[in-house]
Amino acid sequence: LTALDIFQESQWEWNELEKSEWYQSVIFKLLIRPRIPRFGVMTTNCVTPPGTIPETPAVCDALVLLRTNPAMLGPPYDELEPQPLRLFADIGNMELNDPCRMCIDGGYEMTIQGLHASIIPTFGVLSQELQRYSATLTADDAEKQAMVNGILAKTSQLATTITRDDVEDFYFYYVTRSVYSELGWTGYIEGYQALV
């Protein structure tokens, strides 16, 4: 008998359903969901593009170099191994008054607002092109005409029903896929194992 046997909490075990629920309601919602889109904003809006030499470096350049290519920063960082997945922790650990964090948060809002504002014009152009294509169809193309009209109705509906939450979901998915392509699946697994 140990001291820990006295406490009921030390005897708890999690079944698979509880683990999944905890992951979805805590880990994914509070840690992963806010950080992945902000990573996308950081790498596109707050970092100097590769191959360019600006007069003043972008506000997140030092942080990104520290995690992706520490040798570029010189001593004492040149001995560190690159660990790009740690950028996700850095994004969550920055203070709100950090210039990099302010760039990320402001860029995130601008990105989401810009994507949301472009929905109606994008689907409007798509609808116009479908209408123009539909006008070229002959009476022999009744099946194609019905298909185009169905797509046209869907594009008109999408233009008015896509919400900001839908745009945030899309951007989350878009950045997640770009992270996989940048790191490659082997880099992703190696980074994950380095963190664990």
Side-chain angles (χ1 to χ4, degrees):
L1 197 65
T2 67
L4 286 178
D5 291 329
I6 297 171
F7 299 104
Q8 181 182 2
E9 290 83 0
S10 67
Q11 304 299 314
W12 287 351
E13 292 184 22
W14 289 39
N15 63 32
E16 290 303 314
L17 181 62
E18 292 168 332
K19 288 179 187 178
S20 175
E21 177 62 30
W22 184 75
Y23 173 80
Q24 290 296 329
S25 63
V26 177
I27 299 297
F28 185 78
K29 183 178 178 184
L30 299 177
L31 296 176
I32 296 171
R33 179 77 184 179
R35 292 181 190 192
I36 287 182
R38 282 163 177 79
F39 174 81
V41 169
M42 179 179 66
T43 56
T44 57
N45 296 6
C46 304
V47 177
T48 303
T52 60
I53 302 173
E55 292 180 22
T56 57
V59 292
C60 296
D61 279 352
L63 177 64
V64 172
L65 279 177
L66 176 65
R67 297 303 185 199
T68 58
N69 193 0
M72 294 285 291
L73 296 175
Y77 304 109
D78 54 354
E79 300 295 323
L80 297 174
E81 290 291 322
Q83 296 176 336
L85 288 179
R86 289 209 174 166
L87 285 168
F88 292 106
D90 295 335
I91 290 169
N93 294 335
M94 281 187 247
E95 294 183 5
L96 294 176
N97 65 350
D98 187 293
C100 183
R101 176 69 181 258
M102 291 189 299
C103 177
I104 292 168
D105 287 343
Y108 177 74
E109 284 304 314
M110 287 183 354
T111 300
I112 297 301
Q113 288 173 0
L115 287 172
H116 192 247
S118 68
I119 289 171
I120 291 175
T122 300
F123 281 103
V125 169
L126 185 57
S127 294
Q128 289 173 353
E129 291 299 317
L130 285 169
Q131 288 172 351
R132 193 168 63 167
Y133 175 71
S134 177
T136 64
L137 295 175
T138 63
D140 297 336
D141 297 325
E143 187 177 318
K144 283 184 183 178
Q145 184 73 35
M147 184 180 74
V148 169
N149 288 340
I151 295 172
L152 188 57
K154 289 177 185 176
T155 58
S156 300
Q157 179 189 12
L158 284 173
T160 58
T161 59
I162 293 178
T163 64
R164 180 185 164 99
D165 290 340
D166 297 330
V167 172
E168 289 176 354
D169 287 342
F170 164 76
Y171 193 67
F172 175 84
Y173 175 80
Y174 175 76
V175 173
T176 302
R177 295 299 165 224
S178 69
V179 168
Y180 288 143
S181 67
E182 285 176 27
L183 297 178
W185 69 271
T186 55
Y188 179 77
I189 296 298
E190 289 168 6
Y192 174 78
Q193 289 173 345
L195 289 176
V196 176

